[in-house]
Amino acid sequence: MNHAIRLHEPGGPEKLVWEEVPLPSPKPGEALVRHHAVGLNFIDIYFRTGLYKAPSLPAVIGMEAAGTVEAVGEGVEDLRPGDRVAYAMGPIGAYAEARTIPAKVLVKLPDDIGFETAAAMMLQGLTAQYLLRRTYKVKAGETILVHAAAGGVGLILCQWAKALGATVIGTVGSEAKAELARAHGADHVILQGEDLAARVNDITRGARLPVVYDSVGRDTFSPSLDCLAPFGLLVSYGNASGPVTGVDLGILAAKGSLFVTRPTLATHTAKRADLLAMADELFSVVRSGQVKIEINQTYALRDAATAHRDLESRKTTGSSLLVP
């Protein structure tokens, strides 16, 4: 017997339905994975609401999980039944007890990283890796800004940037989240509602910033530009407040020949060699203790609707898990 959370039409959390589904057999190039833990991410909400389109309906959403290989299809040579694996990329389908998935997106887990830690860190941790090490290579002595610093990606970014020798400014929505961000490497915290650019200007003594990492989207796009030094880079990698639209490129010139990018994890992990190298670096900083993965919420997989409500209402901090 195999169960999954299925989406028959876009909409609110109530559209997520716990159903029995067939147990698939792996096709050539695929592996059948029995999930031990499933990651919860904001991108799951984008698929649920229809902001991101599922290939077809009904659909099983979810991008990230960890588990054990039960079978492999023809042509799969580097995996075998019993291997402990995790993944953070599509195709969607992680909200299931078991599923088939292209073997090329699976990463073998080190023995000392558990399923729960892996499922909580793969998507968020690989995102932090490409943001800090590929999109903009943060260097010791630099000051950077991390929006949503108490979120899953935010906490990893704060810790990892701190380990790289950067000074970290984080934005959060409450005093409780401010304490959490400080405990994970944020040197300065700015609360939602404060004048962001003015605070950054004070903290940097007018120098402003080389880079801003922004997962919020529409609401923080313009204020973030005002935090950048000339030739600075705004990395817009999420849409929590809605997508950024209607950008006037002339604003970038007026504010100091600025740069803006909208990267995705899918692009950075498209080549398997890059995926494996990124995962190795992530595993290294976690195993060293420089980055700790905070699993602050755990839900039964069948209760995914509740998890979505909590995530949308910003009740969660750190990483969240769905357990089959």
Side-chain angles (χ1 to χ4, degrees):
M1 185 178 297
N2 186 36
H3 292 87
I5 292 287
R6 292 215 294 177
L7 179 72
H8 291 263
E9 61 181 358
E14 72 281 355
K15 299 298 184 180
L16 299 174
V17 184
W18 178 252
E19 296 180 342
E20 186 173 349
V21 296
L23 182 66
S25 297
K27 298 175 182 178
E30 292 184 340
L32 172 64
V33 178
R34 175 70 56 179
H35 290 153
H36 293 268
V38 176
L40 175 71
N41 297 282
F42 225 96
I43 192 173
D44 303 343
I45 292 174
Y46 301 157
F47 276 106
R48 192 204 75 220
T49 61
L51 178 63
Y52 291 176
K53 302 297 182 184
S56 62
L57 293 174
V60 178
I61 62 173
M63 301 290 291
E64 172 185 44
T68 304
V69 174
E70 290 196 337
V72 297
E74 182 181 351
V76 177
E77 298 179 351
D78 57 346
L79 292 173
R80 63 185 62 186
D83 282 347
R84 301 169 66 253
V85 295
Y87 62 90
M89 286 309 303
I92 59 173
Y95 282 22
E97 293 175 324
R99 65 154 322 171
T100 54
I101 190 168
K104 65 182 181 180
V105 306
L106 295 173
V107 176
K108 290 184 182 180
L109 292 176
D111 292 340
D112 55 351
I113 291 184
F115 292 119
E116 293 79 10
T117 300
M121 79 176 184
M122 286 298 290
L123 193 148
Q124 296 170 349
L126 290 174
T127 298
Q129 194 280 341
Y130 84 70
L131 291 173
L132 294 171
R133 309 298 292 148
R134 292 163 68 90
T135 304
Y136 180 89
K137 292 187 177 182
V138 171
K139 298 176 285 294
E142 292 184 319
T143 300
I144 69 170
L145 176 65
V146 175
H147 282 296
V153 176
L155 290 180
I156 297 173
L157 282 174
C158 289
Q159 295 176 83
W160 202 334
K162 193 67 177 175
L164 292 171
T167 296
V168 181
I169 304 171
T171 70
V172 297
S174 69
E175 285 290 352
K177 291 185 176 183
E179 292 181 13
L180 188 62
R182 291 189 188 98
H184 290 79
D187 299 278
H188 307 275
V189 177
I190 300 173
L191 289 173
Q192 184 179 352
E194 293 188 75
D195 187 325
L196 180 65
R199 284 292 313 278
V200 166
N201 205 54
D202 288 343
I203 292 167
T204 62
R205 297 181 180 179
R208 291 178 287 174
L209 307 168
V211 65
V212 171
Y213 294 109
D214 186 0
S215 62
V216 178
R218 180 180 58 210
D219 291 352
T220 50
F221 182 80
S222 293
S224 293
L225 294 178
D226 291 331
C227 297
L228 291 169
F231 311 110
L233 172 64
L234 172 56
V235 184
S236 179
Y237 69 98
N239 311 299
S241 66
V244 177
T245 59
V247 177
D248 177 3
L249 293 180
I251 294 175
L252 304 182
K255 292 182 181 293
S257 299
L258 303 180
F259 296 87
V260 176
T261 186
R262 182 60 172 87
T264 69
L265 180 59
T267 307
H268 282 279
T269 58
K271 296 180 180 178
R272 181 159 177 79
D274 289 337
L275 168 63
L276 296 179
M278 292 166 64
D280 282 345
E281 187 171 11
L282 172 61
F283 293 155
S284 178
V285 296
V286 171
R287 297 168 79 187
S288 73
Q290 292 176 304
V291 172
K292 295 180 173 61
I293 305 301
E294 300 287 348
I295 303 171
N296 293 338
Q297 298 81 210
T298 300
Y299 307 84
L301 178 58
R302 66 171 64 237
D303 295 328
T306 299
H308 274 228
R309 290 187 186 97
D310 289 351
L311 183 59
E312 281 185 296
S313 61
R314 301 190 179 184
K315 291 182 179 179
T316 64
T317 59
S319 298
S320 301
L321 286 184
L322 304 171
V323 180

